[in-house]
Amino acid sequence: MKWFKTKTIYLFIPSFLFLLLPLYGLGAAIAQSLSDGNAFTLIYYKELLQSDRFLTSVGFSLYIALVSSLLSLLIGLWVTRTCYPLLEKYTPRLIVWLPMLFPHFVWGYMVILLLSETGVLSQVLQMTGLLTESSDFPVWTRDPNGIGIILTYVWKEVPFVILMLLPVYSSIKPQYYDLVQTLGGNGWDRFRTVEWPNILPVITESFLIIFAFTISAYEVPALLGTTFPEMLSVLSYEWFYGSTWEERPLAFAAMSALSIFLLIMTLAAYLFLNRKRWRAMRGRIS
């Protein structure tokens, strides 16, 4: 009732309206995946679990999303810890955040331009005599290991991690580091006792955002991936726009299952962070 009296509730109306369209799309997709004409059915989910192509796609998608997310977090954390006094200045911060201005498919084309068998790096190595021909260059794009996809996402998401972590490091008081040093602590103690409790919520949120985007994105896997194995987004796109209508419910089922999986991950992370906060508050009170 207090919200209605202060009219705070009206601030949530634009956000609610903005979420109506994706919520409607998710609900419609789940309904399509559970319907066989006019009857309720789970046959499409059973077909997914029996499909070797789908299970391979799930494993490949999880591998790409996990590796890309973890590498982005580790590199972004290292850059932020090492350079955050420098990044507080406008020009270095602008240079680091510059990749965020361009869409992911632009960086995908950059990876092809630089790291393909006939790309810039291959041509430079041939000019210097380190390679005899372009076929000797390692396959880093459109490869079955997804190296080009991972490089694209890491290149693009590291600035996002820095953007998330920089305000946290800027807010940590130098006196905390001096206290750890006075008590005989080393660099690991400084990170464990001062930095980690502050950055854990941001690290968790950043991982969820990067992981959810990576595992469900289409343009970079379609540009840099192979026909097999393929990520879930590419497989679902092929099923949805394929030549037969019978495969379209499989696309709905695959993306609905992925959406539910991401929602469960988000809920688990939310409960984990709340438990951490509750323990911290309990420790302060006691």
Side-chain angles (χ1 to χ4, degrees), residues 70 73-74 77 81 165 168-169 172 177 187-205 207 272-273 276:
L70 293 177
L73 287 174
L74 290 175
L77 176 60
R81 291 189 73 244
L165 289 176
V168 180
Y169 274 92
I172 298 177
Y177 294 116
W188 169 247
D189 294 323
R190 292 173 57 186
F191 175 77
R192 181 175 56 86
T193 59
V194 178
E195 300 175 17
W196 183 246
N198 289 282
I199 68 173
L200 177 59
V202 179
I203 287 289
T204 305
E205 293 170 3
F207 174 81
F272 169 75
L273 291 177
K276 285 284 186 181

Side-chain angles (χ1 to χ4, degrees), residues 14-273:
S15 301
F16 178 74
L17 294 176
F18 179 78
L19 289 173
L20 281 179
L21 185 60
L23 287 176
Y24 169 77
L26 176 60
I30 294 176
Q32 290 284 338
S33 67
L34 294 173
S35 175
D36 184 12
N38 296 322
F40 174 83
T41 181
L42 293 174
I43 187 174
Y44 301 118
Y45 290 93
K46 293 179 181 179
E47 288 185 24
L48 289 181
L49 295 178
Q50 295 172 356
S51 171
D52 293 336
R53 185 182 181 188
F54 172 77
L55 296 177
T56 303
S57 179
V58 169
F60 184 69
S61 300
L62 289 173
Y63 154 71
I64 293 292
L66 282 173
V67 173
S68 301
S69 303
L70 293 177
L71 285 178
S72 299
L73 287 174
L74 290 175
I75 297 174
L77 176 60
W78 177 78
V79 172
T80 307
R81 291 189 73 244
T82 306
C83 307
Y84 76 88
L86 180 63
L87 292 174
E88 291 182 344
K89 299 179 181 179
Y90 179 76
T91 301
R93 188 168 66 245
L94 181 63
I95 294 174
V96 171
W97 291 346
L98 186 62
M100 297 178 63
L101 299 177
F102 302 95
H104 284 76
F105 73 87
V106 173
W107 292 111
Y109 278 112
M110 288 291 293
V111 168
I112 293 176
L113 179 64
L114 295 175
L115 301 179
S116 64
E117 292 90 326
T118 57
V120 174
L121 182 58
S122 175
Q123 298 297 323
V124 171
L125 293 177
Q126 291 181 60
M127 291 174 59
T128 57
L130 296 177
L131 288 180
T132 56
E133 54 185 17
S134 60
S135 59
D136 296 330
F137 191 79
V139 180
W140 287 346
T141 59
R142 299 186 178 94
D143 63 296
N145 296 318
I147 296 176
I149 302 174
I150 293 172
L151 289 175
T152 302
Y153 283 127
V154 171
W155 192 356
K156 189 71 169 64
E157 303 304 338
V158 165
F160 170 75
V161 176
I162 297 174
L163 173 67
M164 298 289 287
L165 289 176
L166 186 58
V168 180
Y169 274 92
S170 300
S171 65
I172 298 177
K173 297 180 180 180
Q175 292 86 342
Y176 295 154
Y177 294 116
D178 297 335
L179 177 60
V180 174
Q181 186 174 0
T182 302
L183 296 175
N186 53 25
W188 169 247
D189 294 323
R190 292 173 57 186
F191 175 77
R192 181 175 56 86
T193 59
V194 178
E195 300 175 17
W196 183 246
N198 289 282
I199 68 173
L200 177 59
V202 179
I203 287 289
T204 305
E205 293 170 3
S206 301
F207 174 81
L208 285 174
I209 293 172
I210 298 173
F211 181 87
F213 179 86
T214 303
I215 201 172
S216 58
Y218 171 78
E219 67 275 23
V220 173
L223 180 65
L224 294 171
T226 58
T227 56
F228 186 86
E230 53 197 341
M231 292 191 66
L232 274 175
S233 55
V234 179
L235 178 60
S236 300
Y237 182 90
E238 293 178 0
W239 277 342
F240 188 85
Y241 291 103
S243 57
T244 60
W245 286 88
E246 289 78 8
E247 291 182 339
R248 179 165 289 191
L250 295 177
F252 286 125
M255 297 314 293
S256 297
L258 177 60
S259 299
I260 294 172
F261 170 70
L262 293 176
L263 288 174
I264 293 174
M265 277 190 60
T266 304
L267 178 61
Y270 173 77
L271 295 175
F272 169 75
L273 291 177

